[in-house]
Amino acid sequence: MKTLLWLGAMAATLATPMAFAQSTPQGYTLQQVLILSRHGVRAPLANNGSVLQQSTSKSWPTWDVAGGELTNRGGVIEVYLANNLRKWMVKEKVLSTDECPTQAQFYAWANSLQRTYETARFFVGNTFIACDVPVFHQREMGKMDPLFNPVITENSSEFRQKAVSDMEAERQKYALDDSFKLLESIVDYRNSPACKEKQQCSLTQGKDTFSANYRLEPNVSGPLKAGNSLVDAFTMQYYQGLPMDQVAWGGIKSDKQWQLLEKLKNSYQQILFTTPDVARNVAKPLLQYLNNTLVKKAASAPKVTLLVGHDSNIASLLSALDVQPYQLPGQFELTPISGKVMFQRWHDAQSNRDLMKIEYLYYTAEQMRDFDKLGFDSPVQRFTLSLKGCPTDSNGFCPIDKFNTLLGEAAK
C-alpha cells in the first residue's frame, strides 16, 4: 500500500513489549470470554442538511446502502474475524463447534441499529455455522438500546459545568490547526454551504462549544464536529475500497496528510468520551453489565458473551477502567472499525488462581483496504491492554482480585 505507511513507523516507536499477544503459559485454561465489539464498515451519513453536505459543495460518492448502514464488505470482514476468533476459542476449549450452543454457553446482544445488529449476525453466523443462534436486541429497531446509549445520566448543574470544563480543558491539549487547514483545502471549505449560507468560513478560526446535557450524548458544535464527520467519511471510503482518486476526491496525497486528518477524529472521541467523569457516567450501563457478567454472576454467566456497539462505548469504557495509553500497531483509529476488546478470565492450575487478560483484536488499516487479500486465514492483530489499577505480568495477565475491585469501583 502506498498510503498510510506512516502507521508502520509509528507502531515501531509506540509499541511496547506488551503490544502483541504472548503464548499461553503451561497450565492456564480459559474460563470465560466477554467481547465488546464495534460495528463493521458502514456508509457515512451524507444526506441533505448533514455536516458532510454543509461542509463542501463537492458531490459525495454514492454507496450501495443507506447512510449509517453496514456494507456487504463490512459483513464479510466480520466473517473473517469470526472465523479466526472461533478457531482460537475452540483451541482454548472455551467454545465447541461440535454442537450448537445453548444460551448458557454463548450469548450475543447488539445495539438495535442496523449496523450493529447485522455486524453481530455476520459474526455469530460464521462462529456457529448451520446453527440458529439468536442475536438479542431490544424490540424497537432503529432506537438506541440503553446498554449502548452513551448519554449523560447525571442531571445536575454541577456535573454539567464540570463536564464541559473538563472537555474544554482536554481540547486545549490538541494542536489541530494544521489538520483543519488541510481539511479546509480538501473540501474547499470557503465554497461550502456553511460558508456561503451561514458565514462559517474557517475551521481553524471557528469556536468549539461543548455540552453535557441530561439524557443526551456529550456533544460539540463547531469545527471539531465537522472535522470528525469529514475524516470519518474519508476513512470509511478508504476501508470500503473506493479508488484513491475518490477517497477525499483524491485530496490525500501523503502519509503525513493521513496522520494529520486522523488526529481530528481521534481528538473528537478523546475529548467527548474519555474525560474521567463523563466516561464513568456514559459507560455506567456497560460497566454494570461487565461487573455482573465477569464478577458477581461469573459462575452462572455464559462462557462467551458478545456485545456489539460503537466506538463511543469502547472509548468511554476503557477510560472508565483507566486503561494505560495505547496505540494499535498498523491502525490509525484508537477504536478501529470492527475492532473487539476481549476480556478473558483464565485459571492458573499450578498456583490455583484466576487471572484477567484484556486484548484488542483488529485488522490493520492496510488489511481493511486490501480486501482482496483478506481471507479466512488472515492474521488478526492482537494487542494486550493494561489497566493502571491492574498491572500485567510479562504475559499480559493481571490478578483477578485487582481487576474485580477496579471494575466494581467503576460500576458503582
Side-chain angles (χ1 to χ4, degrees):
M1 223 44 209
K2 295 299 182 185
T3 57
L4 299 180
L5 297 179
W6 63 274
L7 292 170
M10 183 171 63
T13 58
L14 292 177
T16 69
M18 291 305 302
F20 300 99
Q22 307 294 315
S23 59
T24 304
Q26 187 174 1
Y28 280 39
T29 55
L30 185 58
Q31 304 289 305
Q32 183 186 14
V33 175
L34 186 146
I35 303 164
L36 176 58
S37 174
R38 186 185 176 191
H39 59 76
V41 179
R42 52 153 172 76
L45 290 167
N47 56 306
N48 291 331
S50 71
V51 173
L52 298 189
Q53 286 287 358
Q54 288 293 308
S55 299
T56 184
S57 60
K58 298 181 181 182
S59 297
W60 289 95
T62 300
W63 291 65
D64 57 3
V65 297
E69 291 191 354
L70 185 77
T71 67
N72 289 333
R73 185 185 182 109
V76 175
I77 289 172
E78 207 58 39
V79 168
Y80 294 157
L81 270 163
N83 182 72
N84 195 296
L85 189 52
R86 171 175 54 85
K87 290 179 179 178
W88 173 77
M89 288 191 288
V90 169
K91 174 178 174 290
E92 297 296 346
K93 300 180 180 178
V94 75
L95 198 67
S96 171
T97 52
D98 293 337
E99 56 186 20
C100 296
T102 65
Q103 286 186 30
Q105 296 167 322
F106 180 87
Y107 182 80
W109 184 269
N111 190 27
S112 44
L113 301 182
Q114 186 270 358
R115 61 183 175 273
T116 45
Y117 176 68
E118 291 299 326
T119 294
R121 286 212 318 140
F122 274 106
F123 186 91
V124 171
N126 192 69
T127 303
F128 303 103
I129 301 169
C131 290
D132 186 19
V133 178
V135 173
F136 293 93
H137 59 88
Q138 71 171 11
R139 181 171 304 218
E140 186 177 354
M141 289 295 291
K143 181 180 180 181
M144 290 290 287
D145 185 320
L147 181 63
F148 300 100
N149 198 6
V151 297
I152 300 293
T153 57
E154 174 64 47
N155 187 19
S156 71
S157 59
E158 292 80 9
F159 179 89
R160 188 162 52 250
Q161 291 169 6
K162 186 175 187 306
V164 169
S165 177
D166 288 348
M167 287 189 283
E168 290 173 343
E170 186 71 13
R171 171 64 181 87
Q172 297 304 311
K173 298 178 182 179
Y174 297 91
L176 300 176
D177 281 2
D178 288 344
S179 299
F180 281 129
K181 287 177 183 177
L182 172 61
L183 190 58
E184 286 177 345
S185 174
I186 290 173
V187 303
D188 189 17
Y189 197 67
R190 286 195 171 275
N191 288 310
S192 69
C195 180
K196 292 184 175 181
E197 299 169 12
K198 301 179 182 178
Q199 289 70 56
Q200 299 171 0
C201 299
S202 174
L203 294 173
T204 54
Q205 297 177 14
K207 177 177 173 54
D208 290 314
T209 302
F210 297 93
S211 62
N213 296 323
Y214 181 53
R215 293 185 177 176
L216 295 176
E217 289 190 26
N219 197 20
V220 60
S221 60
L224 191 62
K225 184 171 185 176
N228 173 72
S229 298
L230 289 162
V231 176
D232 175 80
F234 300 159
T235 305
M236 293 304 111
Q237 293 169 357
Y238 183 84
Y239 288 160
Q240 184 65 10
L242 269 64
M244 285 307 297
D245 62 356
Q246 294 181 28
V247 175
W249 307 283
I252 305 175
K253 304 292 188 182
S254 69
D255 303 343
K256 182 180 179 181
Q257 288 179 332
W258 270 113
Q259 188 175 15
L260 282 172
L261 292 171
E262 291 296 338
K263 188 176 179 181
L264 291 172
K265 187 156 63 70
N266 288 333
S267 300
Y268 172 91
Q269 186 182 87
Q270 293 294 100
I271 293 165
L272 289 188
F273 293 103
T274 70
T275 56
D277 288 348
V278 170
R280 285 191 293 268
N281 186 269
V282 302
K284 185 63 66 70
L286 277 169
L287 288 165
Q288 292 177 340
Y289 189 99
L290 263 65
N291 195 37
N292 282 330
T293 305
L294 296 173
V295 183
K296 291 184 176 181
K297 301 178 181 179
S300 59
K303 289 291 186 182
V304 179
T305 300
L306 172 69
L307 303 175
V308 182
H310 307 270
D311 52 356
S312 55
N313 298 138
I314 294 175
S316 59
L317 180 78
L318 292 181
S319 177
L321 293 175
D322 211 5
V323 68
Q324 296 278 9
Y326 68 91
Q327 173 66 51
L328 302 176
Q331 254 296 347
F332 47 76
E333 293 188 284
L334 287 174
T335 53
I337 207 84
S338 284
K340 292 159 176 55
V341 177
M342 189 164 65
F343 296 84
Q344 311 155 39
R345 185 163 56 85
W346 293 79
H347 182 70
D348 172 12
Q350 184 174 354
S351 301
N352 191 26
R353 58 175 184 158
D354 284 350
L355 301 160
M356 174 59 60
K357 186 172 189 178
I358 308 171
E359 289 183 300
Y360 217 131
L361 274 65
Y362 65 99
Y363 282 134
T364 66
E366 190 169 354
Q367 284 178 303
M368 299 283 282
R369 173 71 179 176
D370 288 344
F371 180 75
D372 293 339
K373 297 179 182 178
L374 205 59
F376 289 109
D377 295 321
S378 298
V380 174
Q381 312 302 312
R382 301 180 69 141
F383 183 97
T384 301
L385 298 173
S386 178
L387 308 180
K388 292 180 182 177
C390 195
T392 56
D393 61 22
S394 59
N395 289 304
F397 297 90
C398 78
I400 199 70
D401 58 337
K402 290 189 176 182
F403 174 79
N404 290 351
T405 297
L406 190 154
L407 179 57
E409 287 295 321
K412 285 183 179 178

